[in-house]
Amino acid sequence: MVVNAGPMTEEAEHNADQRDPARLIPSSVQSPSSVRGACPSLAAPMHTGDGLLVRFRPSDPALSIQQIRQLAEAAACHGNGLLEITSRGSLQIRGLREETLSALEADIAAAGIVPDSGIVIEIPSLSGLDPTELSSAGVMAENLKRAIAGMPLPALAPKLSIVIDGRDRIGLGSLPADIRLTATRREGGDPEWIVAVGGASRMDRRLAILPNERAISATVEILRLLAEIGPRARGRDLSIDRLRPSFPDIEMIEMTDPGRAVASPIGLHDLGSGNLVFGLRLPYGQIHSAELIAFLDRAEEWGVYEVRPALEHCLMLVGMRPEALASAKLAAANFGFSMSTDDPRNHIHTCAGTRGCASAFYDTKAFAARLLTASGLLDGSTSIHLSGCSKGCARPARASLAFVGAPMGYGLVVNGSASDAPVAYIHENDLKSALDDLSRLVLNEKGAGESVDACLTRLGSDYIASALRQG
């Protein structure tokens, strides 16, 4: 049965952006993972349904086959063997226990992997490899880390992030960032950096265009301004009035997009001179260590010497020999990797679900397999978020459709995020018929040349909820 979720109350509307993310979870099953806060790390793991979870980003994104193999072995020895790559390219290890954390940390160190600490600084996965990179994001990041290390700062927001985009073929313009440095070159000049705060690249407030050293000084100044506001301040909280004394040309910076079209990390990337990089997306962002080790054994046969975690839950295999490509594609398919941007699984965003989180109300992986049969919903334009609870870990941003775990089944959110109020609830026994009804609705209502996402947006949540109730 599909049940009307009912209108939001006046109080709920007033507090829409301040909702308790665990509001659908009965207090009896809430856990520390039900509350948003600092990201999990080696020093501060997160409690989940399958034990503790740690997340980290290697300070050097270029990992050898042996390093990845040692990491997978450590995950199997000290956790449940599940490894994940997040949408932003961080590594996660699941199923840990309090007594295994120190041993895991020792094994990571023994592998020569140094997790980043302090303020998160993100760079493109191909930085330093891609000859099209306008300016080295990796070098800029190292220089910035040294500058920050010598700067006495009070506590900053735990999720504050800095993105440095050297503008290689796989840019970071889609990533939200508190501070963004984007390489640019004015006609006849040397590469410089656009310094901006808040949002994704098209929503940033651009402050200045500066050469390397001055861009680093500007970033340090922005951190100082954030520290003045307080320990929860983010880039979006910096007003023009607060920024103007440090950046007097702020209103004169051109607001046009500085970049070019960028590629997805998924698929084959020819860097020239026979240097191939093969980007593979983990199946729903997750793989078991035994499978990863077996795959890495094959990868060495193909000439792969380096592996880099990347955006979109991807592993970038560096050094692929052209003659080994056919064998690599066959093996990748057998291991469940996505190799193409048009794979419908790329548009399904799942959290761990009940297999790995105490806060979840349903098995998101099983739902994903069922969703693939609802072919009318996956045309490449839609993003479908399967969230075990209203916390929305897998995709904080808007999705075309979100199915949010709730005690009575699934809350359906149309053109919103998992924390938004559902327009309807679907009983767990009625999922198949609801998916069939949604597919049929889109098929009947979609105009010629119209995408599924555009159709859902045009129809609107009220119409869709009414149609589902009528069956």
Side-chain angles (χ1 to χ4, degrees):
M1 181 192 307
V2 177
V3 182
N4 188 1
M8 294 178 66
T9 65
E10 182 177 0
E11 181 180 356
E13 289 179 355
H14 177 72
N15 295 305
D17 61 347
Q18 303 294 328
R19 292 190 197 93
D20 176 5
R23 69 190 184 285
L24 293 182
I25 307 173
S27 58
S28 60
V29 297
Q30 285 191 30
S31 72
S33 62
S34 302
V35 182
R36 281 194 181 276
C39 295
S41 64
L42 284 168
M46 174 187 287
H47 289 276
T48 67
D50 57 350
L52 297 175
L53 175 148
V54 298
R55 179 187 305 159
F56 65 95
R57 180 181 298 274
S59 57
D60 183 352
L63 302 175
S64 68
I65 292 280
Q66 182 58 23
Q67 284 178 309
I68 292 286
R69 185 183 286 117
Q70 286 178 256
L71 185 64
E73 290 169 350
C77 181
H78 307 302
N80 60 12
L82 288 177
L83 291 97
E84 296 173 330
I85 299 179
T86 70
S87 61
R88 297 180 77 110
S90 293
L91 295 168
Q92 291 187 164
I93 297 177
R94 306 190 67 95
L96 299 159
R97 303 183 305 281
E98 292 283 357
E99 61 269 24
T100 63
L101 287 172
S102 59
L104 172 69
E105 192 167 3
D107 282 354
I108 290 174
I113 300 173
V114 180
D116 254 344
S117 59
I119 297 172
V120 174
I121 301 177
E122 299 172 86
I123 64 173
S125 55
L126 294 184
S127 181
L129 271 182
D130 188 349
T132 69
E133 187 177 32
L134 183 58
S135 190
S136 175
V139 171
M140 190 66 168
E142 289 304 313
N143 291 337
L144 179 58
K145 287 176 187 177
R146 283 193 288 271
I148 293 173
M151 173 188 179
L153 273 179
L156 293 165
K159 291 190 176 183
L160 187 141
S161 69
I162 300 172
V163 164
I164 303 179
D165 189 346
R167 282 181 60 199
D168 61 21
R169 70 193 65 204
I170 302 173
L172 300 182
S174 62
L175 285 188
D178 294 281
I179 305 172
R180 187 186 308 277
L181 305 181
T182 305
T184 189
R185 189 199 301 270
R186 290 185 267 203
E187 188 173 353
D190 293 327
E192 295 179 293
W193 297 91
I194 299 172
V195 181
V197 293
S201 64
R202 294 181 184 275
M203 309 251 329
D204 286 336
R205 172 175 288 150
R206 294 176 191 166
L207 311 181
I209 301 176
L210 302 169
N212 289 8
E213 290 303 320
R214 290 182 60 199
I216 289 173
S217 298
T219 303
V220 171
E221 173 64 8
I222 294 168
L223 292 173
R224 187 189 67 78
L225 293 173
L226 288 168
E228 282 183 354
I229 298 175
R232 299 178 64 86
R234 306 295 296 269
R236 59 180 175 266
D237 299 321
L238 290 167
S239 67
I240 289 180
D241 288 342
R242 185 177 288 272
L243 288 162
R244 190 181 289 112
S246 300
F247 301 95
D249 296 330
I250 183 172
E251 284 142 329
M252 299 172 60
I253 302 299
E254 177 128 5
M255 296 303 288
T256 56
D257 187 80
R260 58 188 171 199
V262 294
S264 166
I266 304 170
L268 191 65
H269 305 275
D270 188 348
L271 304 186
S273 303
N275 191 9
L276 296 181
V277 176
F278 196 18
L280 300 175
R281 180 183 172 113
L282 273 60
Y284 305 115
Q286 187 179 85
I287 191 169
H288 196 277
S289 58
E291 294 178 323
L292 180 57
I293 290 170
F295 182 75
L296 291 174
D297 290 342
R298 297 291 310 277
E300 282 186 309
E301 300 171 6
W302 307 324
V304 174
Y305 61 87
E306 187 176 285
V307 178
R308 298 188 175 203
L311 297 179
E312 300 181 34
H313 313 283
C314 284
L315 277 179
M316 310 293 283
L317 307 183
V318 180
M320 178 77 59
R321 293 196 307 270
E323 64 271 18
L325 191 56
S327 175
K329 287 183 176 180
L330 179 60
N334 290 337
F335 279 92
F337 290 102
S338 171
M339 297 172 280
S340 170
T341 55
D342 59 9
D343 188 322
R345 293 176 298 169
N346 298 341
H347 304 281
I348 302 174
H349 307 269
T350 73
C351 65
T354 50
R355 298 185 192 183
C357 183
S359 296
F361 285 96
Y362 73 95
D363 185 340
T364 55
K365 312 301 182 189
F367 191 136
R370 182 176 291 185
L371 184 60
L372 289 172
T373 65
S375 56
L377 298 177
L378 293 165
D379 68 341
S381 71
T382 52
S383 54
I384 299 182
H385 184 185
L386 308 183
S387 186
C389 73
S390 61
K391 199 173 150 189
C393 296
R395 185 181 173 88
R398 166 203 171 274
S400 308
L401 296 171
F403 294 87
V404 184
M408 68 289 292
Y410 313 94
L412 175 65
V413 177
V414 179
N415 290 317
S417 66
S419 60
D420 290 335
V423 299
Y425 285 99
I426 302 167
H427 191 276
E428 57 184 351
N429 295 330
D430 297 326
L431 178 60
K432 184 181 185 304
S433 61
L435 290 176
D436 290 343
D437 289 344
L438 273 170
S439 296
R440 188 163 48 250
L441 174 66
V442 168
L443 180 65
N444 292 336
E445 298 286 350
K446 190 162 69 76
E450 187 178 31
S451 69
V452 172
D453 185 65
C455 178
L456 292 171
T457 300
R458 175 175 55 81
L459 294 177
S461 57
D462 290 343
Y463 183 89
I464 292 170
S466 176
L468 286 178
R469 286 195 299 274
Q470 294 172 15

